[in-house]
Amino acid sequence: MRPLTDAAGRQADPISDTPERAELRAELRRLIAATSPAAEVLRLDEQERFDDKLHEALRRLGVHAVGGHPDHGGIGDIRDQTAVIEELAAGPTSMAVHMVVQYMITHILGTNGSPEQREEWLDRLHTGAAKVSFALSEPAGGTDIARVMRTTARREGDHWLLSGQKTWISGALGADALVVLARTSPAEGSSVDGVTMFLVPAGSPGLQVRELPTVAVHGLDTCEVFFDDVAVPESAVVGAVGAGFRQVVATLNRERINAAAGAIGAASGALDAAVEYARGRAAFGSTLGSFQAVQHRLVDGALAIESARSLLARAAAVEAAGGRADLLSSMAKIAASEAAVKVTQDGMEILGGAGFSREFPMQRWFRDVRLWVFAPLANDMVRNYLGERLLELPRSF
Ligand SMILES: Cc1cc2nc3c(=O)[nH]c(=O)nc-3n(C[C@H](O)[C@H](O)[C@H](O)COP(=O)(O)OP(=O)(O)OC[C@H]3O[C@@H](n4cnc5c(N)ncnc54)[C@H](O)[C@@H]3O)c2cc1C
């Protein structure tokens, strides 16, 4: 389901796509249809393989530079990133997850990287020539990560030595480097202090990556990463020593906004597939789509998607204008991920037995969208945050 104003051709409202962004969407749709149509997405999902061909086509189109640092070839802003993520998630969802991570990394390095780090990495990230993963979560917990973080970095001479383990790291197998958060001093007062961000090249001695078996997002590897005294120079520190966690938190609005875009895109793809199926499936002398119970479910899905999309557009507009989008982006992430769960759940029911078949795409969206309910931050935790910040209730965690 494409954005309403776009699809219905109504007069543009202030938060809908500009003509340029609508053209970017159309261009992406053409490219995805030509390079990675539904059958190819299914094939790669079954084989659990990254879509190198699509990645190359996206590189050529220049999508990696969208929303990036203007001094290094970046163009457009977060609203354009959401359009890219949405269009990808409606088809090759794993590539949307990959782009969410790459956009986060370019933002982290664009805001906190040293001139040398920006010089070395941003141009390559903006052309898609390099891939960098983000390693924060650990086996002891993702939601409470600042308190439970066990990965440490200690200074030895002119180097830092990293030890510990990260888990659930997207794309670590194919990454050229990882942005890693490690504790560099014991928490004093708040556990968010004393954590430092490092840029660690892949293949560093002592670094090991193991792919995890997961239920979804099969087109992108999800990995455990082990650090056994991995040595990096002082120049590998991203931003300020001890301030890494705070620096990352400052980028989370964008990640939430892009996660919401991913969920909305996947929900849109699933809804379109369900509508198409309902139109074509004969039953009781008519079609499934003629039954009120089926129509209501599809309409409720469209409503949930468009509601989440409105929140997303407001959050992205505030973020693009340099304002505080933390509440709107939190609400958009919850609304979008829950819309995606609802739409894909209903989609499975509308497809009946065909929903159960791995030869139909519904089951892939049904599995894939579960990610955004707990990642990058669990909806329960996002609600905790909204309880405190939006409703000014006592902190519940
Ligand atoms: C496919 C995939 C890709 C990922 N990619 C990355 C990546 O690239 N980099 C990275 O660093 N991480 C990544 N993650 C990790 C992800 O961010 C974490 O899974 C997420 O933060 C939740 O952490 P957890 O799994 O440890 O769950 P836990 O922290 O154990 O929480 C489990 C559940 O408990 C509940 N809960 C926890 N605390 C509270 C509370 N205070 N109040 C109410 N409820 C609560 C929530 O329902 C939550 O979902 C990825 C995960 C997956 C599965």
Side-chain angles (χ1 to χ4, degrees):
M1 197 188 98
R2 302 305 175 193
L4 191 61
T5 46
D6 186 22
R10 301 189 187 160
Q11 195 179 3
D13 62 63
I15 56 171
S16 69
D17 284 344
T18 56
E20 293 76 21
R21 202 168 304 126
E23 181 48 37
L24 172 65
R25 282 182 191 273
E27 183 91 26
L28 274 162
R29 259 173 258 159
R30 283 193 289 272
L31 183 142
I32 292 165
T35 319
S36 212
E40 178 68 357
V41 177
L42 262 185
R43 192 179 72 83
L44 292 169
D45 186 70
E46 284 291 313
Q47 296 178 358
E48 305 203 4
R49 278 175 46 202
F50 187 73
D51 193 341
D52 288 310
K53 214 169 125 202
L54 176 63
H55 186 260
E56 181 57 25
L58 293 170
R59 243 166 72 68
R60 287 186 192 185
L61 186 63
V63 302
H64 291 81
V66 170
H69 199 294
D71 292 352
H72 296 268
I75 38 159
D77 60 36
I78 181 78
R79 291 168 296 183
D80 303 298
Q81 288 187 345
T82 63
V84 171
I85 302 287
E86 240 192 81
E87 292 303 327
L88 287 171
T93 313
S94 294
M95 192 60 78
V97 177
H98 170 71
M99 287 309 304
V100 171
V101 176
Q102 298 314 298
Y103 286 156
M104 185 189 190
I105 296 286
T106 52
H107 186 59
I108 286 176
L109 293 181
T111 15
N112 300 294
S114 64
E116 295 74 26
Q117 286 165 343
R118 294 212 297 260
E119 200 58 45
E120 183 180 354
W121 288 98
L122 278 189
D123 289 351
R124 287 200 286 151
L125 282 163
H126 286 165
T127 55
K131 300 186 187 108
V132 177
S133 287
F134 177 71
L136 173 62
S137 303
E138 298 196 3
T143 313
D144 195 18
I145 180 61
R147 204 183 323 240
V148 302
M149 190 178 289
R150 306 260 186 281
T151 302
T152 58
R154 62 179 198 282
R155 266 203 179 100
E156 203 159 280
D158 58 355
H159 281 70
W160 289 89
L161 291 177
L162 276 76
S163 294
Q165 182 186 347
K166 298 287 177 182
T167 194
W168 310 121
I169 309 308
S170 296
L173 267 186
D176 299 286
L178 297 106
V179 166
V180 182
L181 281 106
R183 189 154 281 292
T184 43
S185 58
E188 286 172 22
S190 166
S191 53
V192 300
D193 292 317
V195 172
T196 303
M197 216 170 355
F198 295 89
L199 190 53
V200 182
S204 297
L207 181 72
Q208 277 192 6
V209 179
R210 182 182 84 90
E211 187 167 2
L212 290 165
T214 58
V215 297
V217 193
H218 284 165
L220 183 65
D221 55 277
T222 308
C223 303
E224 283 182 314
V225 184
F226 302 89
F227 302 85
D228 182 9
D229 277 349
V230 174
V232 291
E234 189 66 38
S235 60
V237 171
V238 180
V241 171
F245 198 79
R246 289 186 190 278
Q247 288 160 350
V248 164
V249 168
T251 69
L252 288 185
N253 282 336
R254 280 177 165 245
E255 203 193 4
R256 262 174 231 167
I257 287 170
N258 280 335
I264 288 170
S268 300
L271 186 76
D272 287 346
V275 171
E276 193 185 324
Y277 189 83
R279 270 206 189 99
R281 175 85 171 163
F284 295 92
S286 183
T287 60
L288 289 184
S290 70
F291 303 141
Q292 197 178 50
V294 173
Q295 281 190 15
H296 283 193
R297 269 187 270 182
L298 292 169
V299 169
D300 287 349
L303 178 62
I305 290 173
E306 208 47 45
S307 305
R309 199 177 256 143
S310 295
L311 273 172
L312 171 66
R314 280 178 69 196
V318 172
E319 180 74 22
R324 272 197 72 172
D326 51 337
L327 300 180
L328 282 169
S329 65
S330 297
M331 293 173 109
K333 192 271 191 182
I334 294 175
S337 56
E338 293 182 356
V341 167
K342 181 201 156 25
V343 167
T344 55
Q345 169 73 33
D346 288 345
M348 289 291 279
E349 285 171 25
I350 289 166
L351 264 71
F356 228 66
S357 166
R358 298 218 308 260
E359 292 178 340
F360 283 76
M362 189 57 72
Q363 47 82 30
R364 181 182 61 76
W365 282 305
F366 176 73
R367 288 182 285 112
D368 282 350
V369 300
R370 260 72 197 158
L371 173 66
W372 286 299
V373 174
F374 62 86
L377 188 63
N379 281 358
D380 285 329
M381 192 61 190
V382 182
R383 283 190 163 88
N384 291 342
Y385 178 77
L386 286 170
E388 184 188 359
R389 296 293 170 94
L390 174 71
L391 305 180
E392 298 178 359
L393 291 167
R395 176 174 275 213
S396 64
F397 56 95

